[in-house]
């Protein structure tokens, strides 16, 4: 089933807001055999919206729009869709009741603009938005369907999952079976990995395809398959996935699509281990990544952001002599930070970071991007120095990714 997505809003085109809705919609639909053929981002302009909708209806069976359904004058999607599908506005009592309920739960006063969210085109049918005030509108013409949803990600995701996609699934049967499997590799460059896998890639049947999705310090290999015969697809995917895992060999990080933070939480839980972090240059970003994972409370003991040397020495027990002799960005310091936070929090494992994230603070011996990391496990400690390119945010991100991957790798060997 072919799907076209139209994301509407001036704020998206000027970079004020980043579109996350289209990615969510594509990820949700693909496992069910639905294919997104394109994503179009258009401004709050009636002509542009109408032209985008007309073009999308030509190339797709289902069109999904997000954005432009709010109560203010710049939200013109409703009018643009009426120009395409016809109809006139009327006040839907069920929508108005839903709007009053949503507003009431938020403890705010219902004003006239919000009340007018109950004005909907006669040319559509409504799905009540239980998470917001803008109703979801479903238009149909010539056997094709357009669903207009709000742009607020929380509302789009919740209502698409619970109401919109089940409705579409009941109306349209997918015409092909799709499957994607992910294998992750570390400790190898993308080009070296491609050379290793070249013969295997060439042997793949035409209905399978391998995609390389590199991240700093990690390569996700996504094996995609599409076939009308589900059983044949599963047999071939299982066989080829097993071959891929064997070829990745010692560079294998994970046999599934999982973030390093989520994988760390999983590995710690399986082994009954606890973790803590001591962070300087990353400012709590490592612990934030870990605690963003549901269930992290079962394995995460605590964290210390030891940005100053006084906290390193006074809280974590780093020897002042180590800082004086080697500097805060050094092996002895991160090793003592890791040991200190593990002792302080009662953890079995620890991550410690100290570096020069920039843009200032670098020296000839320790330029911007220099980071010392230490990981601690029941098997011992491992510390190393990395030199990460890029701006401050990139240095922090690389440090977080590298430390999590290294700790996962070490725990797998326990």
């Amino acid at each position: 089933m072919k799907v076209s997505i139209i994301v509407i809003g001036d704020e998206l085109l000027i970079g004020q807001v980043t579109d996350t809705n289209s990615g969510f919609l594509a990820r949700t639909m693909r496992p069910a055999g639905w294919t997104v053929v394109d994503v179009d981002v258009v401004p709050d302009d009636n002509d542009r919206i109408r032209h985008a909708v007309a073009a999308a209806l030509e190339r797709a069976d289902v069109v999904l729009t997000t954005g432009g359904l709010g109560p203010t004058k710049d939200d013109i999607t409703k009018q643009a869709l009426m120009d395409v599908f016809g109809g006139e506005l009327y006040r839907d009592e069920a929508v108005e009741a839903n709007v009053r309920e949503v507003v009431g739960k938020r403890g705010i006063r219902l004003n006239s603009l919000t009340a007018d969210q109950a004005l909907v085109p006669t040319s559509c049918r409504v799905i009540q938005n239980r998470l917001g005030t803008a109703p979801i509108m479903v238009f149909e013409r010539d056997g094709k369907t357009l669903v207009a949803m709000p742009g607020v990600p929380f509302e789009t995701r919740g209502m698409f999952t619970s109401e919109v996609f089940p409705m579409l699934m009941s109306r349209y049967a997918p015409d092909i079976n799709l499957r994607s499997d992910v294998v992750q590799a570390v400790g190898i460059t993308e080009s070296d990995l491609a050379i290793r896998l070249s013969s295997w890639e060439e042997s793949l049947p035409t209905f399978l395809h391998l995609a390389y999705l590199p991240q700093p310090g990690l390569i996700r290999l996504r094996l995609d398959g599409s076939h009308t015969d589900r059983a044949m697809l599963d047999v071939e995917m299982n066989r080829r996935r097993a071959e891929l895992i064997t070829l990745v060999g010692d560079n294998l990080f994970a046999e599934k699509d999982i973030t390093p933070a989520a994988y760390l939480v999983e590995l710690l839980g399986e082994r009954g281990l606890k973790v803590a972090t001591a962070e300087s240059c990353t400012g709590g970003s490592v612990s934030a990544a870990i605690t963003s994972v549901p269930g992290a409370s079962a394995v995460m003991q605590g964290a210390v952001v030891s940005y100053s040397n006084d906290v390193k020495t006074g809280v974590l027990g780093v020897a002042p002599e180590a800082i004086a002799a080697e500097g805060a960005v050094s092996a002895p310091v991160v090793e003592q930070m890791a040991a200190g936070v593990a002792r302080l929090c009662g953890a079995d494992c620890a991550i410690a970071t100290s570096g020069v994230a920039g843009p200032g603070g670098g020296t000839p011996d320790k330029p911007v991007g220099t980071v010392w990391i230490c990981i601690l496990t029941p098997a011992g400690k491992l510390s190393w120095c990395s030199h990460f390119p890029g701006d401050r945010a990139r240095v922090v991100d690389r440090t977080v990714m590298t430390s999590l991957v290294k700790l996962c790798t070490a725990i797998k060997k326990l």
Side-chain angles (χ1 to χ4, degrees):
M1 191 60 57
K2 294 181 179 179
V3 182
S4 182
I5 299 175
I6 302 173
V7 186
I8 302 168
D10 292 339
E11 66 277 8
L12 299 162
L13 292 170
I14 64 175
Q16 189 176 35
V17 174
T18 300
D19 165 42
T20 59
N21 285 331
S22 61
F24 165 78
L25 295 172
R27 288 192 300 273
T28 302
M29 292 183 290
R30 181 173 175 78
W34 295 56
T35 302
V36 174
V37 295
D38 54 32
V39 177
D40 195 3
V41 182
V42 299
D44 293 304
D45 178 270
N46 189 290
D47 288 341
R48 293 286 298 276
I49 295 171
R50 287 190 294 105
H51 291 155
V53 167
L57 288 171
E58 288 291 325
R59 57 182 175 256
D61 307 291
V62 173
V63 178
L64 303 175
T65 74
T66 67
L69 298 181
T72 56
K73 291 183 178 179
D74 61 328
D75 293 308
I76 61 172
T77 299
K78 190 184 299 184
Q79 181 59 56
L81 293 176
M82 287 175 59
D83 292 343
V84 174
F85 292 96
E88 56 187 12
L89 293 176
Y90 77 102
R91 189 171 294 275
D92 187 308
E93 294 183 359
V95 174
E96 184 169 5
N98 181 71
V99 170
R100 291 184 180 279
E101 180 179 351
V102 170
V103 171
K105 288 180 179 178
R106 295 176 180 175
I108 57 178
R109 182 179 62 86
L110 178 65
N111 58 40
S112 59
L113 281 179
T114 304
D116 283 346
Q117 292 282 57
L119 296 173
V120 297
T122 55
S123 52
C124 78
R125 61 188 179 86
V126 170
I127 295 177
Q128 299 294 350
N129 181 1
R130 306 300 181 186
L131 304 176
T133 60
I136 295 167
M137 299 176 294
V138 182
F139 298 84
E140 295 179 332
R141 188 174 69 189
D142 299 329
K144 298 190 175 185
T145 301
L146 181 145
V147 182
M149 298 177 288
V152 180
F154 166 72
E155 298 177 27
T156 300
R157 297 181 182 194
M159 292 306 301
F160 186 79
T161 301
S162 64
E163 300 285 344
V164 175
F165 196 36
M167 178 272 294
L168 292 173
M169 288 284 286
S170 68
R171 295 179 60 82
Y172 299 95
D175 49 11
I176 197 166
N177 297 291
L178 302 177
R179 176 171 157 181
S180 293
D181 289 353
V182 172
V183 172
Q184 303 190 58
V186 295
I188 188 171
T189 65
E190 182 183 8
S191 57
D192 283 339
L193 188 56
I195 292 172
R196 182 187 298 180
L197 300 178
S198 59
S199 297
W200 177 83
E201 278 192 81
E202 292 174 2
S203 73
L204 291 175
T206 55
F207 59 89
L208 298 185
H209 171 73
L210 184 68
Y212 292 77
L213 307 171
Q215 298 173 255
L218 182 70
I219 302 172
R220 294 167 63 237
L221 298 167
R222 191 188 70 233
L223 183 62
D224 295 322
S226 60
H227 204 282
T228 54
D229 188 329
R230 182 77 213 190
M232 178 182 289
L233 176 63
D234 286 340
V235 168
E236 192 64 19
M237 283 286 289
N238 291 339
R239 182 169 74 89
R240 297 295 184 160
R241 176 180 176 275
E243 294 174 349
L244 179 59
I245 291 171
T246 299
L247 288 169
V248 172
D250 292 340
N251 297 108
L252 181 68
F253 175 67
E255 298 182 10
K256 56 186 174 181
D257 198 7
I258 188 171
T259 67
Y263 197 29
L264 177 61
V265 170
E266 180 180 297
L267 291 170
L268 290 167
E270 289 174 353
R271 289 159 174 78
L273 301 173
K274 306 290 186 180
V275 69
T277 66
E279 305 181 55
S280 185
C281 64
T282 48
S285 295
V286 178
S287 62
I290 296 171
T291 56
S292 69
V293 179
S297 59
V299 300
M300 181 67 176
Q301 289 292 89
V304 174
V305 178
S306 52
Y307 216 66
S308 73
N309 289 342
D310 288 342
V311 175
K312 291 181 178 70
T313 58
V315 176
L316 295 177
V318 176
E321 298 79 16
I323 297 176
E326 303 284 346
V329 183
S330 64
V333 170
V334 291
E335 289 173 2
Q336 292 179 41
M337 288 169 62
V341 79
R343 181 178 60 253
L344 186 67
C345 296
D348 311 284
C349 304
I351 294 173
T353 64
S354 185
V356 186
T363 66
D365 291 338
K366 298 175 182 177
V368 170
T370 302
V371 179
W372 273 94
I373 304 172
C374 178
I375 59 170
L376 180 71
T377 72
K381 64 178 181 291
L382 171 66
S383 60
W384 70 97
C385 182
S386 295
H387 298 276
F388 297 128
D391 59 14
R392 186 179 183 87
R394 183 172 173 82
V395 170
V396 171
D397 288 346
R398 288 289 300 269
T399 304
V400 172
M401 173 71 79
T402 302
S403 62
L404 292 172
V405 167
K406 287 280 193 179
L407 184 54
C408 285
T409 302
I411 291 173
K412 286 166 64 178
K413 295 178 180 178
L414 293 176

